[in-house]
Amino acid sequence: MTATAEVARLAPADLDGAVEVAARAFPVANAAAIFRARIAGCLERAPDGAWVAREDGRVVGVALGEQTDGIWVLVLLAVDATAQSGGLGRVLLERALATFDGARGGFITASDDPRALRLYARAGFSLRPCVVASGVPDRAALPAGLAVRDSGLGDVERTVALDRAVRGGARPLQHAELLASGCRLRLAAGDRGYVVSDGTGLVQTLAASDPAAAQALMWSVLAETAPGGEACLRWLGSGQDWAIEVAVRAGLTLAPWAPYFARGQLGTLAPFVPSGAYS
């Protein structure tokens, strides 16, 4: 930790600086809008878990920890390159973990930064290796007549029972936040599963009661890619053979991916794909 850094609760005045730090650390498409919504949402729902580090009045780090329905999630941990390797990430994680008290379990979806992986392992979380499946789906392989329907904000509550059984706890407010950002929700027949995707072939999260429902949902995400467009199925961990089968049949390429970490008493975790933001 740098000698002049100050760690404090995130205040509304810190929002712009926190967004800038997060967007530099994770330069995804529409990063500023994504992180602004994520940080502002967590600040509103879980202010005790929202922390920043400031150096000479400038935000150089941000951490968000949020507990919902008994499950804790590290929503974000980012440290500016100018302030790394001094222990600042560890201090921010410790502050965010203060909101873990009373939780049954917790998740962290990680980057591939070795320093972050070490932090999470030392915090008592178990590493779950993952792969990513990406590429242009073979449209000839797409099954016909998928028993999946498009849904919306009015159906978010239908995810609650599934998340409690599969993930260990529900997160309807977080799903609503994703939908408000432009993501799509689909439900399998009989409400046996759901998937949230970005509308272009990127899975945000998925949970189902059985592999057949999970596969139908995954195929529906691959079907939404434009002709010649690429799909991306991230954080496919151990026990998700149903997802690997879909990826292979669709002609996608499998490659190592950043892991996710789990701790405590969770659900079955299968069929399941964690969320990068809300695990």
Side-chain angles (χ1 to χ4, degrees):
M1 182 172 174
T2 59
T4 57
E6 169 204 18
V7 176
R9 293 190 188 279
L10 190 150
D14 296 315
L15 182 58
D16 288 343
V19 169
E20 290 176 6
V21 169
R24 283 194 296 268
F26 305 104
V28 297
N30 302 316
I34 290 171
F35 287 115
R36 182 171 298 277
R38 187 181 305 180
I39 296 169
C42 194
L43 179 59
E44 179 180 349
R45 292 189 303 267
D48 289 347
W51 294 82
V52 292
R54 308 186 193 100
E55 195 166 43
D56 298 326
R58 181 175 67 93
V59 175
V60 294
V62 56
L64 307 174
E66 181 176 14
Q67 184 183 154
T68 305
D69 198 22
I71 299 298
W72 181 91
V73 172
L74 181 66
V75 177
L76 177 65
L77 177 63
V79 177
D80 196 81
T82 62
Q84 290 179 0
S85 301
L88 190 54
R90 175 183 55 78
V91 174
L92 285 166
L93 177 61
E94 288 173 352
R95 297 293 194 277
L97 274 168
T99 54
F100 195 101
D101 287 351
R104 295 187 302 276
F107 288 101
I108 300 173
T109 41
S111 69
D112 57 2
D113 185 330
R115 292 165 297 189
L117 301 183
R118 178 179 172 85
L119 274 180
Y120 305 149
R122 289 175 64 90
F125 288 78
S126 298
L127 184 147
R128 307 292 179 97
C130 294
V131 298
V132 60
S134 61
V136 178
D138 178 3
R139 303 195 73 80
L142 295 174
L146 293 172
V148 172
R149 71 180 188 278
D150 286 320
S151 304
L153 280 172
D155 285 320
V156 163
E157 288 299 319
R158 296 178 182 272
T159 68
V160 168
L162 286 161
D163 265 351
R164 284 178 176 161
V166 177
R167 182 176 170 270
R171 45 186 170 163
L173 293 178
Q174 289 80 355
H175 288 322
E177 185 174 297
L178 288 171
L179 298 187
S181 73
C183 290
R184 301 172 63 176
L185 172 68
R186 292 189 183 88
L187 294 170
D191 293 348
R192 291 160 44 221
Y194 75 85
V195 66
V196 178
S197 67
D198 76 340
T200 68
L202 175 67
V203 171
Q204 294 287 354
T205 187
L206 179 152
S209 61
D210 60 89
Q215 288 189 331
L217 291 163
M218 191 72 86
W219 280 117
S220 76
V221 174
L222 298 183
E224 76 186 9
T225 59
E230 290 202 1
C232 187
L233 316 177
R234 307 172 298 178
W235 283 297
L236 304 182
S238 58
Q240 314 304 329
D241 293 339
W242 61 271
I244 303 302
E245 180 181 341
V246 170
V248 170
R249 286 174 57 192
L252 304 184
T253 299
L254 298 173
W257 188 248
Y260 75 90
F261 288 77
R263 173 176 159 185
Q265 297 178 340
L266 302 167
T268 61
L269 299 186
F272 177 62
V273 177
S275 160
Y278 305 118
S279 302

